[in-house]
Amino acid sequence: MNNLLRRMIPAVLLAVLAPLAAGAQTAVGEWAAYKSFGEATKVEIYGTMTYCLSDGNLYSFDTDDNSIVAYDKTNRLYDNKISTMAYAPQHQTLIIVYQNSNIDLLVGGETTINIADLMQTTSITDKDIYGITINGRHAYLAGGFGVMLIDLEKQEISNTYLLDHSVLSTAVKDSVLYAATSDGVYAGDMKRNLLDKDNWKLVALEVLGKLVTTDDGRMYGIDSGHLYRWSDEGRFETVFNETLAFLKTDGDRALCGRGDRLIMISADGNRTDIGYNGGTLRDVSYNKRTDTYWCACGSNLLNGFKASAEAGFTAEHTSIAPDGPRHELFYFMKFFGTDLYIAGGMLNYPDVFNPGTVMRYSNGRWSYLEENLQTYTGTSYYNTTSVAIDPRDGTHIFATSSFGGLYEFRDDKYVNLYTYYANPSLANSTLKTLSTSAPEPRWYVRTDGLNYDSQGNLWMVNSGVQTIINVMKADGTWAAFDHPEIAGAPTVDRMIIDSAGRIWITLRRVTTGIFCFDYGGTVDDTSDDQTKFISTFVNQDGESLGGLGVYCVAEDRDGTIWVGTTGGPYIINNPSRIFIDGTPQLTQIKVPRNDGTNLADFLLKDETITAIVIDGANRKWIGTQNTGVYLLSADGMEMIEHFNTDNSPMPSNYVQSMAMNPETGELFIGTDMGLVSYRTDSSEPEAEFDEDIYAFPNPVEPGYQGLITVTGLVYDTDIKITNTAGHVITAGKSHGGTFTWDGKDGHGQDVATGIYFVIASSPDGKSGIATKIAVIR
């Protein structure tokens, strides 16, 4: 037993008597999804369970215990972004249809059956599903192609009726299937072969968006301005003329309405109106057992009400939704400490007006900086693009916008807008507008790339103008820099300041490349400034790749600059020579084929690289525009992981941004369709060992088969795991500040119940620490 082990064991034995490491942690290899639930649009009920669709995402509320459950690809669902749903109470099945026409059957709230036939077929082109009707054992799906039947007992598609018109809704009455189409209402006798189009007859010319049938056989329909009822004479008769947003039935009555009212039509034709002034009614379902109206109320979320014509709506449950990001907009993400900040805009190309938002995820909760800023500024608040926090004051936050300039916040409240003013007396920055003649020039102040330097100066880029690089100095004054080689570039967005103080900015459209600016640590003294614009990419073989759009840039732990382009990743190995070499060569990583040919292929050369994150082990997490996320070894020569929509809960393969929690190694992946995180086996290493080293789960309980994780380590920590007799069970090195163990011995067998010691030593062997893991089999 070496001296380090002898020194450590007495302290460890004492630690066995202490409480085991606290705090539940996400296990290495686990995924989490972060859905937005800001706009409730549809609601279905069964028993104590209410299902709500909000922003295309699903959650449930159980009145038995007031529990809220969010569903996603990590929890029961097979896909992302739901277009519609319906509940079949007889089969306790929620039919879920996704925007891509994939279908799930959520049975009993626990088991999910996926039916991908419609999504995968190539024989149908218009696969949109507009509505679902439940009748007996069948769910009838109205779609752009016709009507599809799902047998809820066999849990499969049983028939598809291909019609010549888009079907918007269906209803069943007296063994006749009615299909409301873009050409009128067709009827098909279900005793006949409805696969034959000749057995469908046009029975009404009204173009109805929704049909329903009550339990006693009354059929209703709505269009943009009327409620109709099917008469005994075989035609639709107008019940009243009003704009209606939804139509349903609670069994006995027809329920319809719009944003400000619910209208109930009884069997004898009596109408009852219940006014609603708490928001916008988007959908209503009635729970007869509890006499509760469950309402999807738009931005007021899910609400449960008692209701009567006399008293109106009386709230029982209000604004129910899981916690989540306000918007599914993830253009920019960055960790400040262990708090994740998200800016949800993007550079303002035509017709892109994402709401101005800065979201924060901290300690498992979401919060937001003030958003209703028009009342202060007199101009619209759109397209926030980056965030920076004052290193001297964590409550002092700045956010850029491509639709206005630089916003300042303190304690999450608006303070100021730094922007362009035509009147010199109002000027408060060096920022410029693309259009001085526009009715509102501030709309054309396009800023991005916020970063503080070591002196407390706040740097940013101002796209499309002469002076691209701007800085608010630590004393509050401003400076701007005129670099002719990039002046007027329309899409300048990402910026980093490397460990030597050099500024790197990306240019990805029209004027493309990577620009490096060294201001010598002196903002006001420009005599020592140096610049280099790499607009033509030349690799290590001397091959010119021409101009490439650059989306991202990162510095790794060795000081190497990684550049993400439209032609894959490139490396600047010796950035200190960037101003010395005439045309800097960039390295394209060559990955050997290992097929005996001595040939190699350039890494990801056909991919657009949109995000690069360096983890605690100096490995590279690469986000792409089309194929998801890759994990590369520190030198980029080995592809360790590749995650995409096929093998992970990622909602899209288009990665817009990524950020890693330095303490836990949790990688957040922002896509164009949502946010997920993945618990990597790495974390930011500690500068030196302290008492923060711990292992989880601890104890390891019976049945646990995941990885056991040790955190709080220094870079490249040497690890030995021993039993109480000092025999080494396994050994290895940490990934940054994290080491993982599968709980097995050298023969691949689960270790026995007992206490196991983690002996950690620095790479030079001069320092070390230990902890213990309790295993229960």
Side-chain angles (χ1 to χ4, degrees):
M1 189 179 297
N2 62 41
N3 289 334
L4 178 64
L5 186 58
R6 288 195 187 98
R7 289 198 306 270
M8 292 179 178
I9 281 184
V12 174
L13 290 175
L14 289 175
V16 172
L17 301 177
L20 295 175
Q25 296 281 339
T26 303
V28 168
E30 285 190 357
W31 291 82
Y34 307 86
K35 299 292 188 179
S36 171
F37 301 98
E39 188 72 20
T41 56
K42 193 166 182 58
V43 60
E44 295 286 323
I45 58 99
Y46 178 72
T48 64
M49 191 72 74
T50 301
Y51 293 96
C52 185
L53 191 60
S54 183
D55 289 341
N57 302 313
L58 177 67
Y59 65 96
S60 65
F61 176 68
D62 191 339
T63 54
D64 265 354
D65 56 9
N66 291 331
S67 61
I68 302 173
V69 176
Y71 301 89
D72 52 60
K73 285 180 73 175
T74 71
N75 180 30
R76 298 182 177 89
L77 300 188
Y78 276 80
D79 221 317
N80 297 280
K81 289 300 175 188
I82 300 168
S83 61
T84 191
M85 65 178 182
Y87 198 86
Q90 181 180 337
H91 296 86
Q92 296 185 30
T93 298
L94 184 70
I95 300 97
I96 298 166
V97 178
Y98 298 94
Q99 293 175 7
N100 64 2
S101 304
N102 202 1
I103 299 169
D104 278 347
L105 304 180
L106 180 59
V107 182
E110 294 294 333
T111 304
T112 306
I113 308 298
N114 180 240
I115 303 175
D117 306 58
L118 177 60
M119 178 183 67
Q120 295 173 351
T121 185
T122 57
S123 61
I124 295 175
T125 54
D126 186 350
K127 302 178 183 181
D128 289 341
I129 299 296
Y130 301 109
I132 305 171
T133 298
I134 309 299
N135 184 261
R137 66 184 288 172
H138 287 107
Y140 296 82
L141 277 60
F145 53 87
V147 181
M148 178 172 285
L149 278 66
I150 295 179
D151 188 317
L152 297 175
E153 293 183 6
K154 294 183 177 180
Q155 299 172 335
E156 64 184 20
I157 295 172
S158 59
N159 250 325
T160 301
Y161 305 141
L162 299 177
L163 304 180
D164 293 329
H165 307 284
S166 292
V167 178
L168 307 176
S169 181
T170 60
V172 177
K173 173 178 168 60
D174 300 329
S175 298
V176 175
L177 176 60
Y178 292 84
T181 78
S182 54
D183 190 50
V185 179
Y186 284 79
D189 188 338
M190 297 169 67
K191 300 184 185 70
R192 306 184 70 180
N193 178 18
L194 295 185
L195 295 172
D196 184 349
K197 295 178 185 178
D198 290 338
N199 288 327
W200 291 85
K201 305 299 179 185
L202 181 67
V203 296
L205 295 177
E206 288 85 1
V207 178
L208 305 179
K210 180 67 175 175
L211 293 172
V212 299
T213 307
T214 61
D215 287 350
D216 63 0
R218 288 174 290 119
M219 185 167 67
Y220 294 87
I222 60 171
D223 61 14
S224 58
H226 307 83
L227 174 69
Y228 299 96
R229 178 175 173 175
W230 186 252
S231 71
D232 293 337
E233 289 75 27
R235 64 176 182 269
F236 281 107
E237 297 179 344
T238 301
V239 179
F240 57 75
N241 301 329
E242 284 185 39
T243 300
L244 300 170
F246 60 88
L247 172 66
K248 301 183 85 165
T249 177
D250 63 1
D252 301 325
R253 301 170 297 182
L255 304 179
C256 57
R258 57 176 188 263
D260 65 348
R261 70 184 57 243
L262 171 65
I263 303 169
M264 297 175 287
I265 306 296
S266 62
D268 57 9
N270 286 332
R271 168 178 171 167
T272 302
D273 285 41
I274 303 176
Y276 177 63
N277 59 7
T280 303
L281 286 180
R282 302 287 297 276
D283 192 29
V284 175
S285 285
Y286 178 63
N287 189 323
K288 189 178 298 186
R289 185 177 66 83
T290 61
D291 188 29
T292 303
Y293 292 86
W294 287 97
C295 304
C297 299
S299 59
N300 280 355
L301 310 177
L302 174 66
N303 296 268
F305 299 108
K306 299 293 185 186
S308 67
E310 298 75 24
F313 286 101
T314 304
E316 289 187 317
H317 305 276
T318 58
S319 299
I320 300 167
D323 191 27
R326 182 162 293 172
H327 308 286
E328 290 188 343
L329 301 169
F330 306 105
Y331 169 80
F332 167 94
M333 296 196 298
K334 186 174 182 178
F335 271 95
F336 294 91
T338 56
D339 292 347
L340 176 65
Y341 281 80
I342 299 171
M346 64 186 303
L347 285 182
N348 188 38
Y349 299 134
D351 301 322
V352 175
F353 299 99
N354 291 333
T357 181
V358 176
M359 302 179 283
R360 177 174 53 231
Y361 184 63
S362 176
N363 295 319
R365 302 293 298 174
W366 290 90
S367 59
Y368 316 93
L369 274 61
E370 191 172 11
E371 293 186 352
N372 297 319
L373 305 187
Q374 293 89 332
T375 55
Y376 305 118
T377 65
T379 188
S380 301
Y381 181 45
Y382 292 118
N383 289 348
T384 44
T385 52
S386 66
V387 180
I389 296 182
D390 189 338
R392 299 159 297 187
D393 180 358
T395 69
H396 194 201
I397 301 171
F398 290 88
T400 52
S401 165
S402 64
F403 202 82
L406 176 69
Y407 286 86
E408 181 182 13
F409 301 85
R410 195 178 292 276
D411 294 322
D412 296 350
K413 300 297 183 183
Y414 169 81
V415 173
N416 205 352
L417 170 61
Y418 300 91
T419 187
Y420 168 84
Y421 292 99
N423 184 346
S425 66
L426 299 177
N428 63 359
S429 74
T430 55
L431 299 174
K432 303 298 183 187
T433 179
L434 287 173
S435 179
T436 57
S437 61
E440 177 51 276
R442 290 180 291 181
W443 291 349
Y444 301 92
V445 180
R446 297 181 176 172
T447 58
D448 203 339
L450 277 182
N451 270 277
Y452 271 98
D453 66 16
S454 60
Q455 301 171 22
N457 303 309
L458 181 59
W459 296 83
M460 69 207 75
V461 289
N462 186 183
S463 286
V465 303
Q466 184 70 28
T467 49
I468 294 288
I469 299 179
N470 291 252
V471 59
M472 177 194 283
K473 294 184 287 186
D475 63 5
T477 61
W478 285 72
F481 298 84
D482 187 350
H483 299 125
E485 55 267 60
I486 61 170
T491 311
V492 188
D493 43 11
R494 309 302 195 192
M495 175 197 288
I496 66 165
I497 301 176
D498 70 16
S499 55
R502 293 177 292 255
I503 293 174
W504 301 82
I505 65 172
T506 66
L507 301 94
R508 61 177 165 90
R509 189 173 67 94
V510 184
T511 302
T512 59
I514 183 85
F515 185 77
C516 184
F517 172 44
D518 188 345
Y519 63 98
T522 55
V523 174
D524 296 321
D525 179 6
T526 60
S527 64
D528 58 353
D529 290 1
Q530 300 181 84
T531 64
K532 177 69 72 172
F533 181 34
I534 303 174
S535 58
T536 299
F537 284 69
V538 179
N539 69 14
Q540 65 270 33
D541 296 335
E543 180 184 1
S544 176
L545 289 309
L548 296 173
V550 177
Y551 277 69
C552 57
V553 59
E555 181 185 23
D556 75 8
R557 294 181 176 278
D558 298 325
T560 299
I561 302 298
W562 286 67
V563 182
T565 79
T566 50
Y570 286 77
I571 298 174
I572 301 174
N573 281 308
N574 192 353
S576 63
R577 293 189 57 84
I578 190 75
F579 305 114
I580 300 172
D581 297 333
T583 302
Q585 288 187 350
L586 286 81
T587 299
Q588 271 187 294
I589 298 171
K590 293 182 179 180
V591 181
R593 294 182 182 176
N594 295 319
D595 59 0
T597 63
N598 292 323
L599 297 177
D601 298 300
F602 288 119
L603 176 71
L604 301 175
K605 70 180 182 64
D606 296 322
E607 297 291 344
T608 294
I609 309 302
T610 54
I612 301 174
V613 168
I614 313 299
D615 73 11
N618 205 29
R619 301 176 303 179
K620 282 71 186 180
W621 292 85
I622 306 292
T624 70
Q625 195 171 75
N626 297 300
T627 58
V629 175
Y630 299 82
L631 170 61
L632 308 180
S633 59
D635 60 4
M637 297 295 290
E638 179 187 358
M639 189 179 294
I640 302 169
E641 297 279 8
H642 176 205
F643 296 123
N644 55 37
T645 54
D646 293 332
N647 65 4
S648 80
M650 288 181 58
S652 167
N653 288 328
Y654 178 12
V655 177
Q656 293 183 319
S657 61
M658 298 193 302
M660 182 171 286
N661 186 320
E663 185 174 285
T664 66
E666 191 173 10
L667 178 70
F668 285 75
I669 304 168
T671 78
D672 63 329
M673 292 184 64
L675 175 67
V676 293
S677 68
Y678 175 72
R679 179 62 162 85
T680 74
D681 61 352
S682 174
S683 62
E684 196 72 13
E686 300 292 336
E688 58 185 31
F689 290 121
D690 58 28
E691 297 305 316
D692 288 337
I693 178 176
Y694 66 96
F696 63 90
N698 198 4
V700 179
E701 297 184 342
Y704 180 76
Q705 295 297 316
L707 293 173
I708 302 161
T709 303
V710 183
T711 65
L713 306 172
V714 301
Y715 189 70
D716 267 357
T717 294
D718 288 310
I719 294 287
K720 289 185 176 66
I721 295 181
T722 74
N723 58 20
T724 53
H727 296 134
V728 176
I729 305 299
T730 191
K733 281 187 173 291
S734 68
H735 286 154
T738 295
F739 177 82
T740 58
W741 174 40
D742 60 6
K744 299 182 185 297
D745 61 22
H747 303 290
Q749 301 299 312
D750 289 341
V751 296
T753 295
I755 299 294
Y756 294 84
F757 300 109
V758 181
I759 312 301
S761 61
S762 60
D764 59 11
K766 293 181 178 178
S767 61
I769 197 169
T771 188
K772 53 80 179 77
I773 301 170
V775 176
I776 306 170
R777 296 299 186 190

